[in-house]
């Protein structure tokens, strides 16, 4: 069998284990370390080591082995943890990630980095290990207890154990429970590896095997679940049978171990007559229907297959999910075509068809929601990356920062959640470097020495809103304006705060006093804005000097299917994202006001909104030019509202989003496209860019003449 086919599974599981290790390390209190946390960290390292050994990733295996040794001493209380240890453990975790990535790319891990981290771990072991660690018993005569009545070495009370140790068998520490682990149908090369791994979990007291079953008796304090978790990196749970030998009284002296199997009864009979207080069953017996009473069966131990199965998850390739989503999209388009055809006919003649189309529409919607949920991932996938980043960066900057996060369970499309990590990372670094002040500065201002950085995510309509908030110094309006003038930007003191804040998104703009490895080069915020816009979202800023800054990112939940409002200008049909639509109305002449130049305002409930005519922006012929004859749609764009003049509202509908840039080119004012029920291409409008185009008075030839070949 070619085990390379399991590489991807190992890489994914190892990455999850490393993420869990980092999470537990950051949450660990070095003053009073929690035993469960230490065990969880140890189990993660041990599982990675076992998998690395299975696949022959020797560098990864050795690095994890050194880390595992230190973690084992820590969980046993033999290593007094300090903050420096956590730093080294986190550094090792980063190195393990690098090695994992190297193996994923079929490369050799950096030998210098490996040598450095191993040297660090060895130095920690030499410096910090307590000198009074109890020594293990060796196999010398000092191990032997007093002979029993039959001349055989016995326990403390002369009661011999049913054991027949091999030459390398060693008695377990006093008081350690014994486990019988049976490995069924395991190749020899895997048996050696598994026995070696069991040796890391305790002391192997005896091994016996045939072609079908290998039985190991282990003295260990490790739980059966943890033993199985390690073994399952190599074999299936159905091949493992773990039974406690709880009736065996452990002894500090030597013991004789008899491994009894159904096929080897004669061998057992050859052992001198001694009392067998806990016979070892052949695991194949467990596959037969039990005949003993239920209470005795329960005391026999457990099998993995006997445990109630919990609801789990499966890994599915993104390409397969994308194929399903595309098929669902085609189904929705077909449903739209049938609905349009049915509605064009007489309802009296086509009542059954119309009813069937309605049922198809409901089924298509349910299927679409079910399929889209497959791609949804919780924001915890993103938020879990930041405790480590904030801890390290705050330490480098000499600042005290507490991270608070909300909305871990809020879900977002996988394609978006992976692309949002980099923009959020820059915003967090920006808040730590520019926003939150040094402890002495904060105390001088009457603040707590420790700053607070808050990450939150929540659903809002058809969007997700992600916020990065800090209680730092806030944005300095005068400083931003001065920096903008020094860059030759046309600004004046009459700009609103929102307009001033938007200046920091200009390419090359930075208010940092000096360039550092954290910030100051002016290459960050413009990239953040560009990336968010590429995902169909926008960025909003709110700030008060001395009180902090809030950066709000608004994104669609998915890029595959959109709830939209179909509108018409001339003979062209466009789609407005429904999440951006506030209301619609038919204006009267007393609601319209002209400004200097060609700007027009619409008064809605004592509020004046800028009026953007869609036919002027896209140069659409045959459209209604008088606002009183058309319909005004109030939309939300760039954190503010404006009025969009159209000819007609066609209605709300669900549309399948097609990437316009891949199939045609980038069009200003347009985010993407879709295919209507009659086969025509309709452009999905970018309400934020439309406002900019309307203010500039630009006229863009973006007519839909059928030249866009979107399949």
């Amino acid at each position: 069998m070619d085990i390379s086919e399991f590489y991807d599974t190992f890489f994914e599981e190892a990455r999850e284990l490393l993420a869990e290790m980092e999470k537990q390390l950051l949450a660990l209190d070095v003053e009073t370390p929690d035993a469960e946390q230490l065990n969880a960290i140890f189990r993660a390292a041990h599982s990675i080591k076992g998998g690395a050994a299975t696949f022959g990733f020797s560098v990864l295996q050795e690095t994890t082995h050194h880390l595992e040794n230190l973690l084992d001493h820590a969980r046993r209380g033999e290593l007094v943890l300090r903050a420096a240890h956590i730093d080294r453990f986190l550094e090792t975790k980063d190195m393990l990630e690098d090695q994992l990535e190297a193996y994923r790319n079929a490369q050799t891990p950096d030998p210098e980095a490996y040598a450095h981290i191993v040297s660090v771990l060895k130095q920690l072991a030499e410096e910090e290990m307590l000198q009074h660690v109890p020594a293990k018993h060796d196999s010398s005569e000092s191990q032997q207890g007093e002979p029993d009545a039959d001349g055989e070495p016995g326990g403390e009370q002369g009661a011999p154990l049913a054991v027949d140790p091999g030459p390398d068998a060693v008695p377990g520490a006093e008081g350690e429970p014994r486990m019988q682990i049976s490995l069924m149908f395991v190749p020899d090369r895997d048996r050696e590896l598994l026995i070696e791994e069991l040796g890391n979990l305790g002391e192997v007291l005896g091994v016996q095997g045939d072609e079908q079953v290998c039985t190991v008796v282990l003295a260990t304090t490790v739980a059966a679940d943890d033993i199985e978790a390690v073994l399952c990196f190599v074999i299936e749970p159905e091949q493992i049978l773990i039974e406690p030998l709880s009736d065996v009284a452990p002894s500090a002296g030597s013991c004789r171990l008899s491994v009894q199997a159904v096929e080897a009864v004669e061998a057992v009979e050859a052992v001198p007559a001694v009392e067998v207080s806990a016979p070892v069953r052949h695991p194949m017996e467990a596959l037969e229907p039990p005949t003993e009473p239920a209470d005795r069966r329960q005391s026999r131990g457990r099998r993995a297959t006997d445990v109630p199965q919990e609801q789990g998850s499966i890994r599915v390739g993104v390409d397969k999910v994308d194929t399903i989503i595309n098929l669902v999209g085609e189904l929705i388009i077909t449903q739209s075509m049938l609905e349009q055809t049915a509605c064009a006919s007489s309802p009296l003649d086509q009542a059954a068809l119309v009813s069937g189309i309605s049922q198809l529409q409901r089924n298509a919607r349910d299927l679409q929601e079910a399929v889209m949920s497959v791609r949804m991932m919780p924001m915890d996938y993103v938020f879990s990356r930041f405790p480590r980043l904030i801890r390290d960066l705050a330490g480098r900057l000499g600042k005290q920062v507490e991270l608070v996060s909300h909305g871990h369970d809020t879900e977002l499309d996988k394609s978006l959640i992976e692309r949002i990590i980099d923009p959020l990372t820059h915003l967090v670094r920006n808040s730590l470097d520019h926003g939150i002040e040094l402890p002495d500065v904060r105390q001088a201002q009457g603040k707590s020495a420790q700053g607070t950085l808050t990450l939150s995510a929540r659903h809002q309509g058809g969007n997700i809103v992600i916020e990065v908030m800090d209680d730092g110094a806030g944005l300095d309006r005068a400083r931003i304006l001065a920096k903008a003038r020094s860059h030759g930007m046309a600004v004046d003191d009459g700009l609103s705060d929102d307009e001033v804040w938007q200046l920091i998104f200009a390419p090359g703009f930075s208010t940092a006093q000096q360039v550092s490895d954290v910030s100051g080069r002016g290459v960050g915020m413009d990239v953040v804005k560009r990336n968010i816009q590429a995902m169909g979202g926008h960025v909003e800023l709110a700030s008060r000097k001395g009180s902090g800054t809030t950066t709000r990112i608004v994104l669609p939940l998915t890029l595959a299917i959109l709830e939209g409002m179909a509108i018409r200008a001339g003979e062209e049909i466009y789609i407005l994202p429904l999440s951006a639509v506030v209301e619609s109305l038919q204006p009267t002449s007393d609601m319209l006001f002209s400004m200097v130049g060609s700007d027009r305002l619409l008064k809605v409930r004592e509020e004046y909104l800028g009026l953007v005519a869609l036919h002027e922006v896209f140069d659409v012929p045959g459209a209604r030019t008088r606002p009183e004859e058309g319909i005004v749609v109030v939309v939300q764009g760039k954190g503010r509202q404006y009025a969009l003049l159209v000819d007609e509202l066609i209605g709300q509908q669900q549309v399948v989003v097609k990437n316009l840039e891949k199939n045609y080119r980038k069009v200003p004012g347009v985010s993407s496209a879709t295919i209507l029920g009659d086969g025509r291409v309709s452009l999905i409008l970018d309400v934020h860019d439309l406002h900019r185009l309307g203010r500039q008075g630009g006229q863009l030839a973006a007519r839909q003449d059928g030249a866009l070949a979107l399949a």
Side-chain angles (χ1 to χ4, degrees):
M1 180 180 66
D2 182 11
I3 63 173
S4 63
E5 60 185 282
F6 301 109
Y7 281 2
D8 288 341
T9 300
F10 167 71
F11 291 141
E12 289 299 320
E13 292 183 354
R15 187 172 66 175
E16 292 172 2
L17 289 168
L18 287 173
E20 178 64 19
M21 182 190 297
E22 179 178 277
K23 178 181 177 181
Q24 296 292 349
L25 284 170
L26 292 173
L28 190 66
D29 183 358
V30 294
E31 300 295 333
T32 55
D34 182 80
E36 285 301 317
Q37 286 182 308
L38 288 172
N39 285 331
I41 298 167
F42 172 81
R43 286 195 297 269
H46 191 80
S47 298
I48 294 172
K49 188 188 82 168
T54 301
F55 294 109
F57 301 148
S58 57
V59 175
L60 181 63
Q61 176 192 1
E62 287 299 320
T63 307
T64 319
H65 177 69
H66 289 289
L67 174 63
E68 178 193 44
N69 286 341
L70 283 172
L71 292 171
D72 189 37
H73 285 293
R75 73 191 185 117
R76 293 174 183 269
E78 299 166 359
L79 171 64
V80 180
L81 287 174
R82 295 183 287 106
H85 291 122
I86 304 300
D87 292 337
R88 300 294 80 77
F89 292 161
L90 289 170
E91 183 182 347
T92 307
K93 175 261 176 186
D94 292 341
M95 180 58 61
L96 293 174
E97 281 187 334
D98 293 342
Q99 293 174 355
L100 199 67
E101 192 62 25
Y103 282 120
R104 183 192 289 271
N105 297 324
Q107 299 174 352
T108 302
D110 185 354
E112 293 184 2
Y114 163 71
H116 167 72
I117 202 66
V118 168
S119 173
V120 169
L121 294 176
K122 285 184 176 180
Q123 183 178 0
L124 278 180
E126 293 171 358
E127 292 177 353
E128 302 293 342
M129 285 302 134
L130 298 180
Q131 299 300 317
H132 58 274
V133 178
K136 297 282 186 181
H137 292 291
D138 55 30
S139 55
S140 64
E141 293 182 357
S142 63
Q143 288 184 324
Q144 306 299 324
E146 295 297 327
D148 61 15
D150 295 324
E152 297 291 346
E156 294 176 345
Q157 316 222 344
L161 302 181
V163 277
D164 184 12
D168 298 326
V170 188
E174 183 176 357
E176 281 192 349
R178 287 158 169 75
M179 293 280 188
Q180 173 187 309
I181 300 102
S182 300
L183 312 174
M184 292 168 264
F185 309 110
V186 178
D188 290 341
R189 61 183 179 83
D190 288 341
R191 286 187 184 185
E192 295 177 3
L193 171 63
L194 293 173
I195 293 171
E196 179 184 349
E197 287 302 313
L198 289 172
N200 292 326
L201 299 177
E203 296 184 15
V204 176
L205 304 181
V207 178
Q208 169 134 356
D210 53 31
E211 293 182 356
Q212 290 184 325
V213 181
C214 174
T215 305
V216 181
V217 175
L218 182 72
T220 180
T221 58
V222 179
D225 286 340
D226 296 336
I227 296 175
E228 182 182 313
V230 173
L231 299 181
C232 282
F233 261 107
V234 182
I235 58 178
E236 297 298 323
E238 293 77 10
Q239 297 175 264
I240 306 168
L241 174 62
I242 303 177
E243 295 181 306
L245 300 181
S246 56
D247 294 334
V248 178
S251 168
S254 79
C255 55
R256 301 183 65 243
L257 188 113
S258 229
V259 181
Q260 174 180 327
V262 172
E263 297 87 353
V265 177
E266 296 80 6
V268 176
E269 293 174 349
V271 178
V274 292
E275 178 184 352
V276 180
S277 55
V280 181
R281 290 188 303 122
H282 193 286
M284 302 306 289
E285 295 177 8
L287 303 180
E288 300 297 328
T291 57
E292 68 265 13
D295 56 345
R296 289 186 60 191
R297 291 201 304 269
Q298 291 175 1
S299 67
R300 284 277 194 136
R302 65 166 197 89
R303 287 186 59 196
T305 52
D306 296 333
V307 180
Q309 295 297 315
E310 298 180 357
Q311 183 178 3
S313 61
I314 59 174
R315 287 189 175 88
V316 180
V318 176
D319 56 338
K320 294 182 180 180
V321 178
D322 289 340
T323 300
I324 296 174
I325 291 176
N326 288 335
L327 292 174
V328 172
E330 297 299 326
L331 174 63
I332 293 175
I333 292 173
T334 303
Q335 171 260 317
S336 179
M337 294 172 62
L338 292 174
E339 184 178 18
Q340 186 170 335
T341 303
C343 292
S345 305
S346 172
L348 296 177
D349 299 332
Q350 303 292 338
L353 177 59
V354 172
S355 176
I357 293 298
S358 298
Q359 181 65 36
L360 174 62
Q361 184 178 16
R362 288 192 294 271
N363 293 341
R365 175 64 66 91
D366 292 342
L367 177 61
Q368 172 248 317
E369 291 178 354
V371 171
M372 292 308 301
S373 67
V374 175
R375 287 189 62 93
M376 292 296 179
M377 294 179 64
M379 282 299 295
D380 185 59
Y381 178 83
V382 178
F383 288 171
S384 62
R385 299 168 181 262
F386 292 110
R388 171 73 184 284
L389 171 67
I390 292 172
R391 178 184 185 274
D392 292 348
L393 188 55
R396 287 166 54 193
L397 296 173
K399 298 180 179 181
Q400 300 176 16
V401 182
E402 177 189 12
L403 174 64
V404 178
S405 55
H406 308 286
H408 289 259
D409 296 331
T410 305
E411 292 187 326
L412 182 63
D413 189 284
K414 183 179 187 297
S415 62
L416 293 176
I417 211 165
E418 292 179 342
R419 293 165 62 183
I420 196 64
I421 292 174
D422 286 344
L424 276 181
T425 299
H426 183 83
L427 292 176
V428 168
R429 291 167 62 90
N430 215 45
S431 289
L432 263 65
D433 192 24
H434 294 295
I436 297 177
E437 310 94 333
L438 291 167
D440 55 342
V441 175
R442 292 179 61 87
Q443 289 177 326
Q445 297 173 352
K447 296 182 179 181
S448 167
Q450 183 181 62
T452 302
L453 180 67
T454 304
L455 297 175
S456 70
R458 68 181 186 276
H459 287 150
Q460 189 177 79
N463 294 327
I464 183 173
V465 178
I466 305 169
E467 293 181 330
V468 180
M469 297 173 282
D470 66 67
D471 63 349
L475 297 177
D476 189 328
R477 176 187 172 94
R479 189 172 175 183
I480 293 175
L481 287 174
K483 194 71 174 182
R485 292 189 181 98
S486 68
H487 278 244
M489 302 171 65
V491 295
D492 59 71
D493 294 334
L495 293 176
S496 66
D497 284 346
D498 288 340
E499 291 172 324
V500 173
W501 306 152
Q502 289 298 318
L503 294 175
I504 69 174
F505 292 109
F509 194 94
S510 175
T511 58
Q513 298 285 359
Q514 59 185 6
V515 175
S516 69
D517 59 347
V518 178
S519 63
R521 300 185 184 276
V523 294
M525 295 301 286
D526 63 317
V527 175
V528 169
K529 181 179 180 180
R530 197 160 55 242
N531 289 347
I532 297 301
Q533 289 178 340
M535 291 185 276
H538 64 278
V539 187
E540 303 171 4
L541 278 176
S543 182
R544 289 184 58 190
K545 189 173 181 180
S547 299
T549 302
T550 298
T551 306
R552 181 177 295 109
I553 298 174
V554 182
L555 288 172
L557 292 178
T558 178
L559 298 181
I561 296 177
L562 175 75
E563 291 286 351
M565 175 68 71
I567 58 177
R568 183 176 62 82
E571 297 300 321
E572 308 295 341
I573 297 177
Y574 300 91
I575 302 295
L576 269 174
L578 194 62
S579 59
V581 176
V582 178
E583 62 178 319
S584 61
L585 54 94
Q586 187 164 20
T588 58
S589 57
D590 60 337
M591 300 170 63
L592 299 167
F593 297 88
S594 297
M595 300 290 290
V596 177
S598 59
D599 290 347
R600 289 175 293 181
L601 297 178
L602 179 71
K603 185 179 181 181
V604 180
R605 291 186 294 275
E606 305 304 321
E607 184 178 0
Y608 292 91
L609 305 176
L611 183 64
V612 177
L614 185 61
H615 70 276
E616 293 179 356
V617 174
F618 289 135
D619 192 21
V620 180
R624 297 173 183 174
T625 57
R626 290 173 51 84
E628 300 91 330
E629 298 174 353
I631 296 292
V632 165
V633 182
V634 179
V635 295
Q636 183 87 12
K638 289 292 184 186
R640 68 187 67 185
Q641 295 181 357
Y642 68 93
L644 184 66
L645 177 62
V646 302
D647 289 5
E648 179 187 3
L649 295 182
I650 298 176
Q652 177 183 343
Q653 66 183 74
Q654 195 176 55
V655 298
V656 180
V657 179
K658 300 289 185 179
N659 190 295
L660 188 60
E661 294 186 50
K662 290 183 179 178
N663 297 280
Y664 183 55
R665 61 179 174 84
K666 175 65 178 175
V667 178
V670 175
S671 63
S672 50
T674 189
I675 301 175
L676 301 176
D678 58 4
R680 290 193 298 167
V681 172
S682 178
L683 300 179
I684 300 174
L685 301 178
D686 183 344
V687 295
H688 315 295
D689 203 27
L690 273 181
H691 186 234
R692 178 184 63 83
L693 295 173
R695 293 186 62 184
Q696 292 178 349
Q699 294 189 356
L700 305 174
R703 297 187 56 196
Q704 300 157 256
D705 53 6
L708 304 181
L710 297 178

